[in-house]
């Protein structure tokens, strides 16, 4: 059986962040699967079939890619960012665990990439320079109560927070509720960064504070970083501010 | 003034993970600064000066790179993984904040990369497929008590944990103490992954459980992932097991 499946992370929006391993996996593939918006970032190649799907069909997409690989096709399943961070790698593993026994014998490889929080952090300085958490605000697959408990635990223990999937048309209130929750633990002056479509032509970066943070500045293409009590902002004449979290620092009493 | 500073992440060990942006920043640089072990990963280029330093001289190295940039040199400060995750970007920001005013006027750019936890996760499946924390176990720059409180908070709230800087010759007991602490919150059957030098020729991957996890399998080149209560292991005949954390799941009572 010659089929195989590579789950490929393109990195956040910029072509400059697509790794050589990711490029090689895309070149070698006979069939590309993925959300249509991500497939659009991959240059066409003759003889390679393309199978775009809707953004919310993650398990169906994983199964379709595995079926093709099991039939002998060299498949690349394309994701933005890193496939292992709130993306397709977990959906593929879920499908393997619950699918036919033959899928466990498949050659499956995950190709890592620059996930959104690293791209946003790099643009603004080093807000993830110390201990941090990555948390999805989507309550499609877990209860909101669990998300609140994680916000409490992370902010209370001095982790910086990277918030994925902050809101969507179907989930309009979650980011505002998360900011409210975090204000119980963190001062209003805590730095907050909104990074939208980082690396793309329509990239937008906002540095603000927890007191001023406006959920209306976010959409599903936005990654939000909420600092800890030690996160600092360096203002610079005529240049963007730098936001960073020092490598030192006690949690406090 | 034509000087500038790029803080460049080479990604974890493999050349296949060096992004085009990182390669371009290295090519354009007139001077390379960095830990000697990381500079060794950059092919020599005529006319480019190299300034290797010891691993523990982070602030001195940041200052030296900033001084060179302020003097008009195009500098690349080289790190492994991502510069913003337990690496040099925060040290550079610290040096800028506390350095001469002229350093605030410098052109400084962070070039993101595939940090170790993403590389280890990709090798083994998708253990970071749901909410997770990244935590340094080094108590050189923060009290051990703060680390214990963060381990408690993260494990207690159902985050997967990625542990950086697990131990060294000067800090031999920290990883064992962290496992002991985590056993208060997590079952002995919780999956644990040791990823050493991932992407390099001497790469080594161990999948075990929290009950069996042996700190002797780690060194300073090792990244450790400790699962949550929902993390699963898929065994496969003749192939490495897949470890993943489903995208679903409640925290529980």
């Amino acid at each position: 059986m010659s089929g195989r499946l590579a789950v490929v992370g393109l990195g956040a929006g910029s072509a400059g962040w697509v790794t050589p391993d990711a490029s090689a996996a895309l070149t070698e593939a006979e069939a590309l699967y993925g959300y249509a918006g991500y497939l659009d970032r991959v240059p066409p190649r003759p003889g390679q079939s393309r199978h775009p799907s809707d953004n919310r069909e993650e398990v169906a997409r994983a199964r379709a890619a595995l079926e093709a690989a099991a039939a002998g096709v060299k498949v690349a399943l394309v994701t933005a960012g890193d496939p292992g961070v709130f993306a397709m790698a977990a959906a593929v593993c879920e499908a393997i665990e619950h699918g036919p026994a033959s899928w466990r014998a498949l050659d499956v490889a995950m190709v890592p990439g620059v996930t959104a929080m690293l791209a946003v952090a790099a643009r603004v300085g080093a807000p993830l320079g110390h201990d941090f958490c990555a948390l999805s605000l989507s309550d499609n697959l877990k209860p909101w109560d669990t998300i609140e408990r994680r916000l409490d635990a992370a902010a209370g223990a001095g982790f910086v927070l990277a918030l994925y999937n902050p809101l969507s048309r179907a989930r309009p209130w979650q980011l505002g509720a998360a900011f409210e929750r975090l204000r119980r633990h963190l001062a209003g002056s805590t730095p907050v960064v909104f990074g939208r479509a980082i690396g793309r032509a329509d990239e937008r970066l906002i540095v603000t504070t927890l007191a001023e943070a406006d959920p209306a500045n976010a959409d599903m293409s936005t990654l939000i970083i909420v600092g800890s009590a030690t996160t600092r902002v360096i203002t610079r004449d005529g240049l963007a501010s730098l936001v960073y979290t020092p490598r030192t620092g006690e949690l406090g009493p």
Side-chain angles (χ1 to χ4, degrees), chain A:
Chain A
M1 188 173 61
S2 61
R4 61 173 186 250
L5 173 60
V7 188
V8 180
L10 295 177
S14 168
W17 296 330
V18 181
T19 68
D21 271 12
S23 292
L26 296 172
T27 300
E28 290 161 14
E30 297 162 337
L32 300 183
Y33 286 74
Y35 167 55
Y38 302 152
L39 285 190
D40 288 346
R41 290 179 53 194
V42 182
R45 200 171 66 77
Q48 191 175 55
S49 67
R50 299 170 84 95
H51 308 265
S53 52
D54 185 81
N55 199 11
R56 282 162 298 184
E57 301 294 329
E58 293 190 341
V59 172
R61 189 189 309 146
R63 286 197 190 117
L66 284 159
E67 273 166 18
V73 179
K74 292 179 180 65
V75 176
L77 178 52
V78 178
T79 77
D82 179 89
V85 177
F86 306 118
M88 287 301 298
V92 166
C93 290
E94 282 172 45
I96 291 173
E97 183 171 22
H98 303 294
S102 61
W103 287 2
R104 295 190 183 215
L106 280 173
D107 178 359
V108 175
M110 316 300 180
V111 182
V114 174
T115 183
M117 66 180 167
L118 302 185
V120 173
R123 276 287 194 271
V124 80
L128 306 180
H130 200 46
D131 304 328
F132 63 92
C133 296
L135 177 63
S136 169
L137 290 189
S138 170
D139 55 353
N140 290 340
L141 294 169
K142 63 188 166 188
W144 182 252
D145 174 61
T146 293
I147 296 172
E148 285 191 332
R149 286 172 65 182
R150 289 185 182 157
L151 290 167
D152 290 345
F159 286 98
V160 171
L161 272 159
L163 303 177
Y164 282 75
N165 306 321
L167 49 71
S168 69
R169 261 168 296 193
R171 297 183 295 103
W173 57 265
Q174 280 78 349
L175 180 59
F179 286 149
E180 273 308 310
R181 193 83 186 184
L182 291 172
R183 289 181 188 119
R184 298 184 184 185
H185 303 278
L186 298 167
S189 59
T190 304
V192 172
V193 179
F194 290 71
R196 186 186 175 281
I198 295 300
R200 300 201 321 233
D202 53 343
E203 161 176 334
R204 193 175 63 164
L205 199 61
I206 297 174
V207 175
T208 181
T209 63
L210 185 56
E212 304 280 335
D214 181 356
N217 285 320
D219 62 15
M220 273 305 274
S221 299
T222 306
L223 184 287
I224 292 150
I225 296 175
V226 180
S228 71
T230 65
T231 304
R232 302 183 59 76
V233 177
I234 308 174
T235 55
R236 303 189 296 169
D237 281 348
L239 289 173
S241 296
L242 291 172
V243 182
Y244 82 101
T245 306
R247 303 159 304 141
T248 56
E250 310 197 10
L251 181 54

